Amino acid sequence: MCGIFGYINYLVEKDRKFIVDTLLNGLSRLEYRGYDSAGMAVDGNKKNEVFAFKEVGKVAKLKELIEQSATDMTKTFESHAGISHTRWATHGTPPPSELPPSPNSTDSILIHSSDPLWEFSVVHNGIITNYKELKALLETKGFRFETETDTECIAKLAKYLYDQHPDIEFTVLAKAVIKELEGAFGLLMKSVHYPHEVIAARKGSPLVIGVKTSKKMKVDFVDVEYSEDGVLSAEQASQNVAAKKSATSLLAPPDKSLLHRSQSRAFLSDDGIPQPAEFFLSSDPSAIVEHTKKVLYLEDDDIAHIHEGQLNIHRLTKDDGTSNVRAIQTIELELQEIMKGKFDHFMQKEIFEQPESVVNTMRGRLDVANKRVTLGGLRQYISTIRRCRRIIFIACGTSYHSCMAVRGIFEELTEIPIAVELASDFLDRQAPVFRDDTCVFVSQSGETADSLMALRYCLERGALTVGVVNVVGSSISLLTHCGVHINAGPEIGVASTKAYTSQFVAMVMFALSLSEDRASKQKRREEIMEGLGQISEQFKQILKLNDPIKDLCAKFFKNQKSLLLLGRGAQFPTALEGALKIKEISYLHCEAVMSGELKHGVLALVDENLPIIMILTRDSLFTKSLNAYQQVIARGGRPIVICNHDDPEFSSALTEKIDVPKTVDCLQGLLNVIPLQLISYWLAVGEGLNVDFPRNLAKSVTVE
Ligand code: UD1
Ligand code: BG6
């Protein structure tokens, strides 16, 4: 639910200003993941001292706080470890429960520390489900909790275990702590007892490590070290001091010579001496690319230890089926890709990127001239999927709407039963899943907790799992059997736009691939491929409506309390998606109604004052949709109509309309959603709202 960022420099001299600015800059790139509060912990002026800063609100306020704190920014550090976070509150309201009095001086503080002396500082993304039990245990040991957050129990548990064994190695301590944690997390921990060292661990939440060295690395991977003998529990660790001395215990100091030889080959010189190095730890590579393109994705249950210019990766259990190396990859994200450029907001940039992003989704996959579709990531699985008993699409939010939008074309082309499920509801019901089901997980981020848990649920039941995700290296991408990366490029605006259209296109291509062997569908398939070939140009035409749509918003929707959006058939999901966009960024109540249902209740709301948008592009249901239009007109309603160019039905000068080009019926939703994205954008801008960071929402929801 939060963004975490860490920076460690080893034998690379930096002043405190550089370190603090690097952390602040990293946090601001992660702000889309949550912005209820922000904080950081950096080394103090004396050995064994930490300075921690914490502020309610956005990163800019944390920056102000640090500037006002009169901290000496000129002090230099040859080696240093700093950690920071931007938080979306799940436990404990951010103000003021997270802001205990400062241990050292005037600063309002903290990340989550172990005790008033800040011996252990922790930043954490995710949720610790057993924090109440841990808290209760620690309270019996005399700990007093200062906040209501789950994170605080991690720092206090570390402090408790450390006090039992003050000469314990940092990794051994970290393993004992992490073993006790249940739930999902990405976390960073630093301590005054282990200066310049950081522990980074993940379980269900993303964590990436960027590496910058002046010399080329010797190898482009890091070995994984497995525990031979399991890990002691917190209770065992506290009671069994003798265990620390035992050569077979994890609480015994590991054989360092062996560790250094096996784990950190990438970072050592020829004569085995560590080299100057900088490490950047982040929830998302977009905060790292400006520093280095060399990154390593941690896997679930990895515990990374950064110390003395080296990176060691540990795991709690031996032979757990994961690879025994982690590759150091070169990421291709360019900085300008994640910058706003000439646009005022990321959301606006992303809406206008759609003519290119859909092309990127189809690039190398759709050959319109030869009428062929090849999805490399599904090739080996297509025949298995064709034989499945049903396809279940599982997703949340916008991604769920894209699944609904393609349900019809999947049913038509594949003739396989299709179900579309909200991940949370699917899990709540513990819905039956069988080995001959194919479960498709659609997610922009690939990290949404509800979707991820549903994926694990389906994996346990032996179903074939397919991902449709944007973020390469994300948890859903890694855990599914196969899948399609939608290649829409980074999406920063909390309101998803280009990911929706790219998911839609990727899934239509999926349906086309599945029906390749059906001669009876050939004509229809060709028609759809032709349509996809023209989509990008049609997006460009619709985006020319930007100014008229801005004016329309000012004219019809200013100071309104509510808005209805009507659609039918394949356009009902478009209405749902449009209504979600409007709600999430303009805070205007907006309800999507299936036109056929209008007369069953909602019609009572209609009068000459209620703003209504009706999607009335021509398809096989057009006549029925027109009935709803007539019903609204008959009650004095004045709907704004989204219709095809020059539709004679809406030729009256009195009809307020948004003209969109015509495409194949099953693709029309791709075009119709764009005016709705623009409406939501201009409504929010008109109200002076923060378009990219709507209140109470986060881009990546990594808690249940
Ligand atoms: C891949 C390359 C692409 C290259 C192309 C050339 C990657 C990420 N993509 O694209 O850069 O241009 O080959 O042929 O290296 N997967 C999942 N779950 C998901 C998404 C994907 O398991 O949710 C798997 C796929 O099954 C596949 C791999 O990830 O094994 C890459 O998927 P994708 O990028 O869609 O494959 P290509 O289009 O072939
Ligand atoms: C969050 C976002 O709720 O997660 C939505 O605010 C998004 O915009 C939803 O649609 C699902 O996210 P993802 O990454 O799984 O597509």
Side-chain angles (χ1 to χ4, degrees):
M1 218 66 220
C2 318
I4 57 184
F5 192 83
Y7 171 62
I8 298 112
N9 52 308
Y10 175 72
L11 302 181
V12 181
E13 189 172 283
K14 298 288 180 192
D15 61 22
R16 184 179 280 133
K17 178 164 174 22
F18 177 91
I19 291 164
V20 166
D21 285 350
T22 302
L23 292 170
L24 285 171
N25 186 44
L27 285 186
S28 61
R29 298 227 182 282
L30 297 173
E31 217 168 25
Y32 72 91
R33 300 174 65 88
Y35 33 84
D36 285 335
S37 60
M40 74 166 64
V42 292
D43 290 350
N45 290 336
K46 295 183 294 224
K47 203 168 175 276
N48 293 356
E49 183 179 47
V50 70
F51 283 173
F53 305 92
K54 186 165 181 81
E55 183 60 292
V56 172
K58 300 190 72 179
V59 175
K61 289 190 68 190
L62 176 67
K63 186 165 190 265
E64 273 171 34
L65 174 87
I66 296 172
E67 280 165 2
Q68 287 158 11
S69 71
T71 308
D72 174 11
M73 288 294 174
T74 59
K75 184 174 169 56
T76 56
F77 299 84
E78 197 181 53
S79 297
H80 181 282
I83 61 175
S84 62
H85 79 164
T86 170
R87 178 166 187 264
W88 194 74
T90 55
H91 284 73
T93 46
S97 64
E98 282 183 15
L99 303 172
S102 159
N104 46 10
S105 83
T106 55
D107 306 327
S108 133
I109 306 262
L110 125 97
I111 326 286
H112 293 282
S113 90
S114 50
D115 64 339
L117 292 173
W118 303 91
E119 290 175 47
F120 289 89
S121 308
V122 175
V123 296
H124 157 229
N125 169 24
I127 197 158
I128 305 298
T129 48
N130 62 335
Y131 84 103
K132 286 197 178 128
E133 290 83 346
L134 291 172
K135 190 172 171 179
L137 170 80
L138 290 163
E139 278 171 345
T140 65
K141 309 286 179 193
F143 282 86
R144 228 191 73 240
F145 280 74
E146 292 153 89
T147 75
E148 290 158 24
T149 66
D150 50 346
T151 311
E152 194 181 350
C153 72
I154 307 174
K156 288 214 159 45
L157 182 58
K159 158 83 175 141
Y160 169 63
L161 293 178
Y162 177 82
D163 286 348
Q164 312 299 310
H165 313 293
D167 53 354
I168 195 170
E169 292 257 345
F170 202 8
T171 43
V172 180
L173 174 68
K175 283 181 189 174
V177 170
I178 287 161
K179 171 152 187 295
E180 296 303 321
L181 305 181
E182 288 170 15
F185 53 82
L187 67 84
L188 305 182
M189 189 190 316
K190 79 184 233 95
S191 168
V192 293
H193 302 299
Y194 307 97
H196 321 320
E197 298 185 26
V198 164
I199 292 286
R202 73 161 272 181
K203 183 178 185 181
S205 295
L207 205 50
V208 191
I209 304 179
V211 184
K212 188 172 171 186
T213 50
S214 51
K215 291 199 185 136
K216 196 169 177 303
M217 276 174 273
K218 291 185 74 187
V219 289
D220 57 0
F221 59 86
V222 173
D223 301 287
V224 178
E225 191 208 350
Y226 296 89
S227 291
E228 297 286 340
D229 307 297
V231 186
L232 293 186
S233 71
E235 273 301 272
Q236 284 170 309
S238 73
Q239 288 159 8
N240 191 359
V241 181
K244 178 167 66 83
K245 311 282 180 208
S246 150
T248 56
S249 164
L250 262 177
L251 288 178
D255 178 348
K256 272 206 151 189
S257 59
L258 186 73
L259 280 183
H260 285 195
R261 200 173 58 243
S262 64
Q263 271 87 61
S264 275
R265 305 182 241 185
F267 306 101
L268 300 179
S269 67
D270 287 338
D271 45 10
I273 298 169
Q275 300 293 301
E278 290 165 272
F279 295 90
F280 304 85
L281 301 141
S282 173
S283 311
D284 178 333
S286 66
I288 291 180
V289 276
E290 62 202 89
H291 303 290
T292 175
K293 297 265 171 75
K294 297 275 178 215
V295 299
L296 178 150
Y297 291 91
L298 289 184
E299 290 188 12
D300 268 357
D301 300 318
D302 280 354
I303 300 171
H305 180 208
I306 296 172
H307 63 120
E308 295 174 1
Q310 298 180 70
L311 165 60
N312 297 86
I313 295 178
H314 304 262
R315 291 183 72 81
L316 292 179
T317 43
K318 195 172 160 54
D319 297 334
D320 58 359
T322 54
S323 161
N324 58 2
V325 291
R326 299 286 172 270
I328 299 172
Q329 310 175 11
T330 305
I331 40 173
E332 282 154 19
L333 270 182
E334 287 299 330
L335 190 55
Q336 66 266 23
E337 272 192 76
I338 54 167
M339 303 297 282
K340 282 200 279 263
K342 64 181 171 138
F343 295 98
D344 293 330
H345 299 99
F346 282 113
M347 182 188 181
Q348 188 187 29
K349 170 178 177 261
E350 287 152 11
I351 291 173
F352 278 85
E353 263 171 12
Q354 290 176 104
E356 291 106 67
S357 52
V358 282
V359 170
N360 289 336
T361 306
M362 294 185 275
R363 179 165 289 125
R365 293 165 165 173
L366 176 68
D367 178 353
V368 180
N370 296 304
K371 301 287 182 300
R372 292 181 64 85
V373 179
T374 316
L375 293 171
L378 295 182
R379 206 172 6 214
Q380 291 175 352
Y381 291 85
I382 282 287
S383 57
T384 312
I385 301 172
R386 276 186 196 131
R387 291 194 304 270
C388 74
R389 155 215 292 246
R390 67 177 166 164
I391 302 176
I392 314 176
F393 288 89
I394 302 167
C396 307
T398 291
S399 300
Y400 170 73
H401 295 154
S402 72
C403 299
M404 286 189 69
V406 299
R407 170 161 57 185
I409 194 62
F410 263 88
E411 285 172 342
E412 182 189 334
L413 290 182
T414 67
E415 294 174 11
I416 299 172
I418 306 291
V420 179
E421 296 274 4
L422 281 168
S424 52
D425 184 50
F426 178 77
L427 282 169
D428 288 348
R429 294 184 349 253
Q430 297 281 295
V433 172
F434 304 97
R435 296 183 71 82
D436 48 2
D437 284 328
T438 295
C439 300
V440 183
F441 295 85
V442 183
S443 171
Q444 187 285 130
S445 61
E447 301 293 349
T448 301
D450 289 326
S451 304
L452 206 48
M453 282 188 293
L455 166 58
R456 294 203 169 100
Y457 174 89
C458 295
L459 284 169
E460 280 162 19
R461 282 153 184 78
L464 177 69
T465 60
V466 180
V468 177
V469 305
N470 194 27
V471 180
V472 177
S474 60
S475 303
I476 292 180
S477 164
L478 296 176
L479 288 175
T480 40
H481 291 102
C482 60
V484 187
H485 290 119
I486 64 171
N487 300 340
E491 189 180 67
I492 307 291
V494 167
S496 180
T497 51
K498 64 175 181 171
Y500 177 80
T501 46
S502 283
Q503 286 167 344
F504 194 139
V505 166
M507 287 192 278
V508 170
M509 291 194 294
F510 183 9
L512 290 169
S513 296
L514 281 175
S515 54
E516 200 178 33
D517 59 340
R518 289 178 168 260
S520 62
K521 309 285 181 194
Q522 199 49 30
K523 200 157 162 294
R524 176 71 162 150
R525 293 179 69 253
E526 290 181 6
E527 175 193 42
I528 296 168
M529 288 187 232
E530 286 287 345
L532 285 173
Q534 291 165 15
I535 281 293
S536 170
E537 276 310 309
Q538 292 177 319
F539 276 3
K540 287 184 193 158
Q541 285 179 42
I542 300 175
L543 289 168
K544 289 186 189 148
L545 299 175
N546 185 42
D547 288 337
I549 286 179
K550 181 179 173 187
D551 296 342
L552 180 136
C553 287
K555 190 168 161 197
F556 292 100
F557 302 136
K558 193 113 190 89
N559 301 324
Q560 293 292 342
K561 293 261 171 303
S562 192
L563 173 63
L564 278 193
L565 240 169
L566 268 64
R568 186 165 193 138
Q571 299 318 314
F572 177 54
T574 313
L576 283 170
E577 174 56 10
L580 179 65
K581 289 289 86 91
I582 292 170
K583 275 183 280 215
E584 67 184 331
I585 62 162
S586 72
Y587 316 152
L588 171 66
H589 172 250
C590 182
E591 192 177 336
V593 180
M594 168 89 82
S595 303
E597 281 290 294
L598 184 65
K599 56 186 176 298
H600 298 301
V602 182
L603 198 55
L605 290 175
V606 174
D607 61 15
E608 61 280 9
N609 299 319
L610 180 73
I612 300 177
I613 301 174
M614 299 191 76
I615 306 175
L616 286 164
T617 42
R618 295 226 172 212
D619 56 21
S620 60
L621 301 174
F622 183 70
T623 326
K624 289 185 181 173
S625 301
L626 221 44
N627 289 343
Y629 178 66
Q630 302 301 353
Q631 288 161 13
V632 169
I633 300 277
R635 268 75 186 174
R638 289 271 315 280
I640 294 164
V641 174
I642 297 178
C643 59
N644 291 125
H645 283 316
D646 303 325
D647 190 323
E649 192 68 45
F650 308 107
S651 57
S652 158
L654 294 175
T655 312
E656 204 59 53
K657 57 186 174 179
I658 299 171
D659 276 347
V660 293
K662 185 158 175 52
T663 178
V664 189
D665 53 1
C666 64
L667 303 179
Q668 191 67 50
L670 279 169
L671 303 184
N672 295 355
V673 80
I674 292 181
L676 299 174
Q677 294 172 346
L678 287 170
I679 288 172
S680 68
Y681 175 78
W682 287 117
L683 275 176
V685 171
E687 294 296 323
L689 298 172
N690 194 340
V691 174
D692 286 328
F693 302 106
R695 68 183 179 203
N696 308 339
L697 298 178
K699 179 90 183 145
S700 190
V701 182
T702 54
V703 290
E704 200 177 346

